[in-house]
Amino acid sequence: MTKEDYFYEAFQGMERLGPGSRESTEKALAFFPRKSQPVRILDVGCGVGTHTFLLASHFPKADITAIDSHSPYIQTLNQSAAARGISDRVHGLEMSMFDMTFEKESFDLIWSEGAIYIIGFERGLKEWKRFLKPGGFQICSEISWLKDDPSRESLDFWQSAYPQIGTIAENLRRIEDADIFPKVILSARSATGRRSIMLPYRKTWIA
């Protein structure tokens, strides 16, 4: 078996395939300006559609394209959309986040919950921004250090698993370097899993 096979086996049957919760999704959505309710949304790394359907509920008039590279997840998502009667506006596509083929300036909102780390936070910000319409937003979650002195065990694990992990200040600099600031809303979750914070940084929200 490949590493991917073990990953999919470990998550088989689960509704949520990454960190977060319904509450954290709704908390991030609450900071999105309602006056800018999107017409087109892209959900990157959608899994089986758990947060895709929260987006569909929050934005009842939006057209949502949800992508994932794992075909069974997309099949489950499309079946669920049909069962909910919203397959006319929620569309699952088997597609890699590394090779998205959308036209430039296609989406009002790009959402990626618990998935942007796969391509890398900084790379994802820079490469995906071309798909945003003028004035569009990108909302994503990124694992972040919330304390200056994490344990040696935590440091060793994350340096091996995700060397790009940074502090909130470092991730804010990456947002600025990607030249889409302040149109990013960053949901930062503790690398230790102990706590999370929410505070404003100009027009960027860190949750």
Side-chain angles (χ1 to χ4, degrees):
M1 292 177 66
T2 66
K3 289 183 179 180
E4 284 190 352
D5 292 331
Y6 285 115
F7 174 87
Y8 294 130
E9 182 178 347
F11 284 95
Q12 187 173 358
M14 293 186 181
E15 291 186 5
R16 184 171 284 273
L17 308 178
S21 63
R22 181 186 182 96
E23 290 74 23
S24 62
T25 300
E26 292 176 342
K27 195 173 185 180
L29 281 171
F31 286 94
F32 190 83
R34 297 290 296 191
K35 64 181 180 180
S36 300
Q37 181 167 341
V39 175
R40 293 196 68 198
I41 299 173
L42 173 63
D43 184 4
V44 181
C46 61
V48 296
T50 300
H51 36 77
T52 311
F53 295 119
L54 287 174
L55 289 167
S57 177
H58 193 80
F59 302 110
K61 296 182 180 180
D63 182 90
I64 302 174
T65 299
I67 69 165
D68 202 284
S69 60
H70 192 47
S71 179
Y73 290 166
I74 294 301
Q75 293 174 13
T76 297
L77 185 150
N78 284 330
Q79 289 169 0
S80 297
R84 295 165 184 254
I86 56 174
S87 57
D88 59 325
R89 65 183 189 89
V90 176
H91 323 280
L93 296 178
E94 183 181 350
M95 183 183 294
S96 170
M97 67 175 68
F98 290 88
D99 190 27
M100 297 194 290
T101 57
F102 305 108
E103 296 289 332
K104 291 183 178 179
E105 299 183 359
S106 292
F107 300 99
D108 302 280
L109 168 62
I110 295 177
W111 180 278
S112 185
E113 188 170 349
I116 196 172
Y117 77 92
I118 295 171
I119 192 172
F121 182 60
E122 189 169 8
R123 179 179 173 183
L125 293 178
K126 291 179 178 179
E127 292 190 5
W128 299 351
K129 69 178 181 179
R130 69 183 185 273
F131 301 119
L132 282 174
K133 294 179 182 180
F137 281 74
Q138 184 170 331
I139 301 180
C140 58
S141 59
E142 170 68 350
I143 192 73
S144 304
W145 293 118
L146 297 184
K147 56 190 301 184
D148 296 328
D149 57 343
S151 68
R152 171 50 57 184
E153 183 180 12
S154 293
L155 279 170
D156 290 344
F157 174 83
W158 286 106
Q159 286 304 315
S160 174
Y162 188 50
Q164 298 180 51
I165 186 172
T167 63
I168 290 177
E170 289 169 338
N171 286 331
L172 287 171
R173 284 195 294 271
R174 289 166 179 165
I175 292 171
E176 292 180 308
D177 290 344
D179 197 29
I180 54 175
F181 183 81
K183 294 298 186 180
V184 173
I185 297 173
L186 169 65
S187 176
R189 295 191 61 80
S190 167
T192 62
R194 294 178 182 172
R195 64 190 180 97
S196 61
I197 62 171
M198 180 166 287
L199 46 91
Y201 184 82
R202 302 183 194 174
K203 293 183 181 179
T204 298
W205 283 93
I206 305 171

